[in-house]
Amino acid sequence: MDLRRQLPGVTTLLDHPELQPWRQRHGDRLPIRAIRETLAHYRQRLSEDASDAADAADDIGDSRPEEIDLVAAIRARLELLTRPNIRPVFNLTGTVIHTNLGRSALSEAAIEAVVQAARHPVALEYDLEKGGRGDRDRLVEDLLIELTGAEAATVVNNNAAAVLLSLTALCAGREAVISRGEMIEIGGAFRMPDVMSTAGCRLVEVGATNRTHARDFSQALGDDSGLIVKAHTSNYAITGFTSSVPERELARIAHEHGIPFMIDLGSGALTDFRTLGLPHESQPAEAIAAGADLVTFSGDKLLGGPQAGIVVGNRELIARLKQHPLKRALRCDKLTLAALEATLRCYRDSEAPSRSLPTLSMLARDATTIGDQVSRLQPVVQAVLQDIAEVSGQDCRSQLGSGSLPVDRLDSRALVLHCKRSRDLSRLERVLRGLPRPVIGRVHEGALWLDLRCLDGDREERQFVEQLDTLRPLWDRTA
């Protein structure tokens, strides 16, 4: 007897009471798909069982699945089909601004601004005073001018785009002069020389890897020189016998030769990190004050806003960027601009931006507070893991991430999960990633470390604890 023919039909399963809530929420299309895919899976399995039994000359009997098992499988398939690909995770890696985990979380004000911009028509490129077409950069330009001391500003979709646009608009067909020690490569093998080549610039490297002097720039400049570029070495540090040319001196050299001076800050910060107990990070205002004609930086790193590339500086140069055809291809949409405006207003209006910007709040958490959290959660996690792992609290060092302050580390504390069987480590890591809100840690010294620096606030801690009830069933299913 072919057991595949004994499986219930699509219509029969579609009418099952447990699937009616799914039909009410989604209609019939998605449930029917889940039913068909589940039936196809069981038909394949029954076919394989029959083939194996025939080879062994055995009788497989009535091994068709019960209807209750089929329905449970269909519901699991529906949950998988409706689960978003972009979903929240617990970032317990010890890297606060984690590129793979979406970098900075937005403030509540920025989230509300995005919701309103998504829900309604907005005056994106419409001048409400004049009643005609406007410039979308004006939504944030005045704020950026006020916060950085620049004459003008423009915004594109990320800092790499900001650098590319600046180089293309100002230096295409000419020489871009940069210190050899600043030929940076960031994530994804994105290299400054490649950006310059794409922009149509001719790269001129000066100095040595560890030492560059003012005379190196002066001697390299000529009739074909279009720009002096300084790239902030945000994702590495050269130590020891080193020398670099101060920004103010580079500005003087550039202006004596009649060419602009551009600084790529990378992360960019709009507050003095020393007031938060953190190492100093260069600010756009400092670069402008030092004489830079253009400064580029990111919106979604130390700024704590959405992904964006910000360019501030000389009014005439910014105008050239805005008029370049590439600007339209790289421009930001209304959601990005809404979130960025709200973030910038926080810096302008608040005496303590770290209170409302999650990234700054997590960076400023002190190790004692994190240690108290570890003490609370250690027995809870240990009770869940029981015979799987020993859970302890240990000191660790967090990093800012995304190329920010590559040498400096922040004192923190972590839950450290030592599996009783070494082969279970990867399984435990996989199970934590499979929780309703995945938990992402890091494997270090044969254990799974969960740095709690980013588990900030009572709500986050409560959500972390509440979903631990699902860990053991998931562990059992992966046996």
Side-chain angles (χ1 to χ4, degrees):
M1 179 177 65
D2 189 348
L3 296 179
R4 292 172 296 182
R5 297 181 179 276
Q6 304 302 312
L7 291 171
V10 172
T11 302
T12 299
L13 290 169
L14 187 63
D15 289 336
H16 195 281
E18 290 194 27
L19 297 183
Q20 300 319 298
W22 291 92
R23 296 180 70 184
Q24 293 171 7
R25 289 196 299 270
H26 301 285
D28 286 351
R29 177 179 295 181
L30 198 62
I32 288 174
R33 174 182 172 179
I35 291 169
R36 286 174 173 165
E37 290 178 356
T38 303
L39 289 173
H41 167 75
Y42 275 101
R43 290 191 189 99
Q44 178 65 28
R45 198 171 76 177
L46 289 171
S47 177
E48 291 172 355
D49 289 347
S51 177
D52 292 343
D55 292 340
D58 291 332
D59 183 2
I60 63 171
D62 189 0
S63 61
R64 63 182 176 180
E66 298 290 338
E67 186 173 286
I68 188 173
D69 296 325
L70 272 172
V71 172
I74 292 166
R75 290 177 57 189
R77 173 68 65 175
L78 281 166
E79 290 173 359
L80 183 63
L81 289 172
T82 56
R83 187 176 68 189
N85 290 328
I86 296 182
R87 55 194 176 116
V89 303
F90 285 108
N91 174 17
L92 306 186
T93 62
T95 300
V96 178
I97 308 172
H98 200 301
T99 298
N100 297 342
L101 300 181
R103 293 183 177 164
S104 293
L106 297 179
S107 67
E108 290 302 316
I111 293 170
E112 177 60 23
V114 170
V115 170
Q116 293 303 318
R119 182 171 286 150
H120 305 290
V122 296
L124 179 63
E125 288 187 359
Y126 184 82
D127 190 321
L128 292 172
E129 292 184 2
K130 297 179 179 179
R133 186 179 180 89
D135 176 5
R136 67 178 63 192
D137 280 343
R138 296 297 299 174
L139 297 173
V140 295
E141 186 171 19
D142 288 344
L143 287 165
L144 287 166
I145 290 171
E146 185 175 350
L147 290 166
T148 66
E151 295 178 350
T154 189
V155 182
V156 289
N157 59 9
N158 63 25
N159 189 53
V163 173
L164 178 63
L165 174 62
S166 300
L167 291 172
T168 305
L170 304 182
C171 199
R174 304 187 70 186
E175 295 175 347
V177 185
I178 187 172
S179 169
R180 185 167 281 108
E182 297 171 4
M183 301 302 295
I184 60 173
E185 176 181 313
I186 61 175
F190 184 90
R191 296 178 173 179
M192 180 62 79
D194 297 336
V195 179
M196 289 184 171
S197 175
T198 300
C201 303
R202 296 195 301 276
L203 170 65
V204 176
E205 302 176 50
V206 300
T209 302
N210 60 320
R211 291 177 68 83
T212 304
H213 305 283
R215 64 178 180 274
D216 296 321
F217 285 93
S218 297
Q219 294 169 359
L221 295 176
D223 293 339
D224 286 339
S225 301
L227 195 67
I228 288 181
V229 180
K230 182 174 181 60
H232 186 51
T233 54
S234 57
N235 58 356
Y236 68 97
I238 300 175
T239 60
F241 187 57
T242 63
S243 176
S244 62
V245 185
E247 294 172 357
R248 194 172 298 276
E249 179 69 4
L250 286 175
R252 181 191 65 78
I253 296 171
H255 297 158
E256 283 182 353
H257 287 79
I259 62 174
F261 171 44
M262 168 183 158
I263 299 178
D264 171 22
L265 280 183
S267 293
L270 289 180
T271 191
D272 187 348
F273 272 38
R274 291 169 294 193
T275 64
L276 303 176
L278 299 168
H280 177 258
E281 174 76 4
S282 297
Q283 298 180 53
E286 296 172 340
I288 293 294
D293 299 292
L294 285 184
V295 181
T296 67
F297 55 101
S298 296
D300 57 339
K301 296 180 181 178
L302 295 179
L303 194 69
Q307 177 178 297
I310 301 168
V311 192
V312 298
N314 176 275
R315 184 178 293 106
E316 288 74 20
L317 297 182
I318 293 292
R320 288 172 61 181
L321 267 59
K322 290 184 176 185
Q323 293 163 7
H324 196 278
L326 193 58
K327 173 63 165 68
R328 182 175 179 85
L330 302 175
R331 68 183 182 178
C332 296
D333 71 342
K334 65 176 182 177
L335 303 183
T336 299
L337 289 168
L340 182 58
E341 180 189 3
T343 304
L344 295 173
R345 286 184 181 277
C346 175
Y347 280 102
R348 188 195 66 177
D349 301 338
S350 175
E351 294 181 356
S354 61
R355 294 176 183 171
S356 55
L357 295 174
T359 295
L360 298 189
S361 175
M362 288 184 285
L363 290 173
R365 290 189 79 196
D366 63 272
T368 300
T369 301
I370 302 171
D372 292 340
Q373 190 175 40
V374 168
S375 298
R376 289 193 302 272
L377 293 179
Q378 186 273 334
V380 177
V381 177
Q382 182 65 81
V384 172
L385 295 181
Q386 296 181 19
D387 57 327
I388 299 173
E390 292 290 342
V391 182
S392 62
Q394 295 188 33
D395 293 335
C396 63
R397 304 275 280 170
S398 306
Q399 64 178 2
L400 279 76
S402 285
S404 306
L405 300 172
V407 175
D408 298 283
R409 295 291 185 270
L410 309 174
D411 291 335
S412 189
R413 196 156 172 82
L415 292 171
V416 183
L417 283 49
H418 287 273
C419 289
K420 297 184 177 180
R421 298 183 303 180
S422 60
R423 65 177 180 272
D424 284 340
L425 178 59
S426 60
R427 180 182 172 193
L428 178 59
E429 185 186 16
R430 186 170 66 254
V431 166
L432 287 171
R433 294 200 309 269
L435 291 174
R437 181 173 172 182
V439 174
I440 315 297
R442 65 185 178 95
V443 174
H444 177 62
E445 296 180 342
L448 184 59
W449 291 62
L450 306 179
D451 185 334
L452 299 193
R453 173 168 290 279
C454 293
L455 195 66
D456 192 8
D458 294 339
R459 181 181 178 185
E460 289 281 287
E461 183 175 324
R462 184 171 61 254
Q463 290 180 352
F464 175 81
V465 171
E466 287 174 349
Q467 72 166 2
L468 291 178
D469 290 340
T470 64
L471 191 150
R472 286 303 297 225
L474 185 58
W475 176 267
D476 294 338
R477 288 201 298 271
T478 62

